[in-house]
Short mmCIF file of all heavy atoms in Angstrom, two decimals:
data_model
loop_
_atom_site.label_atom_id
_atom_site.label_comp_id
_atom_site.label_asym_id
_atom_site.label_seq_id
_atom_site.Cartn_x
_atom_site.Cartn_y
_atom_site.Cartn_z
N PHE A 4 10.98 23.13 6.66
CA PHE A 4 10.08 22.43 5.66
C PHE A 4 9.79 23.33 4.57
O PHE A 4 8.96 22.96 3.68
CB PHE A 4 8.71 22.02 6.40
CG PHE A 4 8.90 21.02 7.46
CD1 PHE A 4 8.72 21.35 8.74
CD2 PHE A 4 9.27 19.70 7.19
CE1 PHE A 4 8.86 20.39 9.76
CE2 PHE A 4 9.38 18.80 8.15
CZ PHE A 4 9.21 19.13 9.45
N ALA A 10 7.31 23.13 -2.90
CA ALA A 10 6.99 22.12 -3.91
C ALA A 10 5.54 21.71 -3.89
O ALA A 10 4.96 21.53 -4.92
CB ALA A 10 7.88 20.83 -3.73
N SER A 16 -1.08 23.60 -7.57
CA SER A 16 -1.47 24.51 -8.59
C SER A 16 -1.77 23.81 -9.92
O SER A 16 -2.55 24.33 -10.76
CB SER A 16 -0.49 25.61 -8.81
OG SER A 16 0.73 25.08 -9.52
N LYS A 55 -5.84 1.21 -3.68
CA LYS A 55 -5.47 1.86 -2.42
C LYS A 55 -3.98 1.42 -2.01
O LYS A 55 -3.69 0.22 -2.13
CB LYS A 55 -6.42 1.42 -1.28
CG LYS A 55 -7.84 1.93 -1.53
CD LYS A 55 -7.77 3.41 -1.53
CE LYS A 55 -8.97 4.03 -2.10
NZ LYS A 55 -8.83 5.38 -2.45
N GLY A 109 -1.30 -15.49 5.99
CA GLY A 109 -2.21 -16.30 6.78
C GLY A 109 -3.05 -15.52 7.68
O GLY A 109 -4.29 -15.71 7.84
#
Side-chain angles (χ1 to χ4, degrees):
F4 296 108
S16 74
K55 295 295 162 198

